[in-house]
Amino acid sequence: MTSASAALPRPGRTKAFLRLVMIEHSIFALPFAYIASLTAMYQWDKSIHWARLLLVTVCMVGLRTFAMAVNRIIDREIDARNPRTAHRELVTGAMSVRHAWTGALVALVVFLGAAALLNPLCLALAPVAVIPMVVYPYGKRFTNFPQAILGLAQAMGPVGGWLAVSGSWDWDAVILGLAVGIWIGGFDLIYACQDVETDRRIGVMSVPARFGVPAAIRAARVCHAITTALFAWYAVRTDAGAFFWLGLLIVAGAFGYEHTIVRPHDLTRVNRAFFSVNGFIGIALFVCALLDLLMRGLTV
């Protein structure tokens, strides 16, 4: 009993771990998993299944927590050499590698357990979802396009949300997943522009480091234009109504605003674009999609 108690993270360690994985950033991916799950529920029996939605939440948070922890563990030496990331918990010693691995493995077990409770297909595909989460942090060591790996990892959220409800493959979920993956890959291109000089100095590979900041910003704009088109395609395929289209207009406006405040020679507002605007995009489209489904007959 004593040894088991000693193995448990102390409150300070728990708080440090939550900071390490930036738990609040689950807001980027969760809304789109909810959109997929609720649309699948609407097509299934037009009812919200709260227990299933809770399991989707647990899966998403568990997998994202595992991915972020592994990312921080693998990148800790790179983070120590970058002034922007040198304050991270594994660099400063606020969190040990052993405790970070403990938190990551607990999150992985939670994810697999929730997937098992959903349906056999979710459990069978759960290990597949883990692969890009582990490959991504290594991506910057062997490719100039690590954002593509990140996009693939993020694209699985909506697909998983749909599978959690339907138990079967659906191309509408793939379209939504691609939209989300390209969106997140696009804004990570912008975020990576902050580190271009450091990345070149220490040998980290990325689009900005290889092709320059102006090229990365242009690529992000293309990504977000494609994202908007994919959202529209998803709306058409799922017979979305006026509220969803309103949400898409809001998203398009947010993308436009994001690209007016971030310029190749002015990156001072990258954090506003990354955290505020992108968080707003996810919430705005989710709220509009939910209102649309409720107006079309989805029952609580």
Side-chain angles (χ1 to χ4, degrees), residues 27-111:
I27 196 172
F28 291 143
L30 269 175
F32 298 97
Y34 288 155
I35 291 172
S37 297
L38 291 170
T39 304
M41 290 176 188
Y42 173 79
Q43 294 185 1
W44 183 17
D45 63 1
K46 296 188 176 182
S47 297
I48 296 179
H49 298 263
W50 293 102
R52 197 167 294 262
L53 206 58
L54 175 61
L55 287 174
V56 169
T57 305
V58 173
C59 276
M60 290 292 296
V61 174
L63 183 57
R64 186 200 167 276
T65 299
F66 167 78
M68 283 294 295
V70 169
N71 190 318
R72 294 291 191 255
I73 292 167
I74 293 170
D75 278 353
R76 64 189 185 279
E77 292 182 3
I78 291 176
D79 288 343
R81 300 171 67 188
N82 185 336
R84 186 181 63 81
T85 57
H87 67 281
R88 287 177 175 170
E89 287 73 16
L90 288 176
V91 178
T92 63
M95 166 69 58
S96 70
V97 174
R98 181 169 67 89
H99 283 103
W101 271 119
T102 299
L105 293 176
V106 168
L108 180 61
V109 169
V110 169
F111 164 65

Side-chain angles (χ1 to χ4, degrees), residues 218-278:
R218 288 194 297 270
R221 290 171 182 166
V222 171
C223 285
H224 292 160
I226 294 172
T227 295
T228 304
L230 287 170
F231 280 147
W233 189 15
Y234 173 81
V236 170
R237 285 185 59 96
T238 57
D239 297 319
F243 275 109
F244 190 95
W245 287 103
L246 174 62
L248 188 51
L249 286 175
I250 294 172
V251 167
F255 280 148
Y257 172 71
E258 181 176 43
H259 288 285
T260 61
I261 65 173
V262 177
R263 303 282 186 171
H265 303 293
D266 181 9
L267 301 176
T268 57
R269 291 180 286 184
V270 165
N271 282 336
R272 184 192 301 179
F274 186 82
F275 298 113
S276 302
V277 178
N278 287 297

Side-chain angles (χ1 to χ4, degrees), residues 182-202:
I182 294 172
W183 165 54
I184 292 180
F187 76 66
D188 196 61
L189 283 173
I190 298 173
Y191 197 66
C193 289
Q194 300 176 102
D195 299 326
V196 62
E197 296 303 327
T198 301
D199 287 351
R200 287 171 177 167
R201 175 171 53 81
I202 66 179

